[in-house]
Amino acid sequence: MDQADRARNQKGTGVASEPHFRHECPVHRFDPVAKVQAHSKRCSLCLCWLCGVRAGSCALWTTGDAGGHCRAHPGEPYWRQVRDRSLRERARTPP
């Protein structure tokens, strides 16, 4: 079972024991049509789907494109394109 599987299995339990993307958070339910204020809520184990860092460390969590990275999820074509571009850029950048 990988990290994403564990997060999906935890969803709805109200308890997070593994890092997970914000849209899979078992503590703060993600509603794709909610306002930014609802999306910006995160538990200590939430990860930014675009940056791959802890949500609390994401510089664009509530600012920038379309309300910030807190709104990013795979169900929205716009965010999938942004994530694909981000992954390509990170792959080209040496550690």
Side-chain angles (χ1 to χ4, degrees):
M1 183 180 327
D2 68 11
Q3 180 177 335
D5 290 331
R6 282 192 293 277
R8 278 189 287 280
N9 288 339
Q10 296 176 66
K11 195 169 185 174
T13 65
V15 177
S17 59
E18 299 279 337
H20 52 269
F21 294 121
R22 168 60 186 97
H23 62 273
E24 297 174 329
C25 184
V27 178
H28 300 287
R29 188 176 72 82
F30 186 85
D31 178 357
V33 296
K35 295 186 183 214
V36 172
Q37 293 84 355
H39 289 148
S40 66
K41 293 179 183 175
R42 62 189 188 274
C43 76
S44 63
L45 296 174
C46 280
L47 301 172
C48 174
W49 190 60
L50 299 177
C51 298
V53 301
R54 290 284 167 108
S57 299
C58 174
L60 298 172
W61 189 245
T62 57
T63 61
D65 294 346
H69 288 187
C70 66
R71 297 182 60 88
H73 63 97
E76 177 63 45
Y78 169 76
W79 289 118
R80 285 195 312 268
Q81 289 176 353
V82 173
R83 184 169 194 252
D84 289 346
R85 186 173 43 235
S86 175
L87 291 172
R88 282 192 305 272
E89 288 172 8
R90 280 190 273 165
R92 285 191 300 246
T93 306

